[in-house]
């Protein structure tokens, strides 16, 4: 199960960097329902693989992990 949650965290972080809805990305890539993806993201947070956020905020990527986009 730890490997599965690590995959969830990786998908989530990638989606945040690409400015895509992260839970939707998890649901599409696993594949699973949106509600199940949300539960998996919660489990990844509990396991310490994603930072805690406020509801509706997808800020699980540490600022130093973000790539600067040239011209922005």
């Amino acid at each position: 199960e730890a490997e599965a949650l690590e995959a969830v965290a990786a998908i989530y972080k990638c989606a945040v960097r690409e400015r895509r809805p992260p839970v939707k990305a998890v649901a599409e890539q696993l594949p699973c329902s949106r509600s199940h993806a949300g539960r998996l993201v919660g489990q990844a947070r509990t396991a310490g693989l994603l930072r805690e956020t406020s509801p509706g905020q997808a800020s699980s990527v540490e600022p130093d992990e973000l790539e600067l986009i040239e011209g922005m």
Side-chain angles (χ1 to χ4, degrees):
E1 185 175 306
E3 288 180 17
L5 292 180
E6 288 173 4
V8 167
I11 294 166
Y12 189 101
K13 289 178 180 182
C14 181
V16 169
R17 281 192 298 272
E18 294 172 357
R19 298 185 180 185
R20 296 183 297 129
V23 176
K24 182 178 178 186
V26 170
E28 290 173 350
Q29 290 186 36
L30 286 186
C32 64
S33 70
R34 162 66 178 79
S35 60
H36 185 66
R39 284 191 295 275
L40 291 172
V41 167
Q43 290 174 11
R45 286 191 200 291
T46 300
L49 299 172
L50 295 171
R51 291 189 317 154
E52 292 295 327
T53 62
S54 300
Q57 300 296 316
S59 59
S60 69
V61 179
E62 297 292 339
D64 61 340
E65 291 181 40
L66 293 173
E67 296 178 20
L68 295 177
I69 299 172
E70 196 171 336
M72 292 194 92

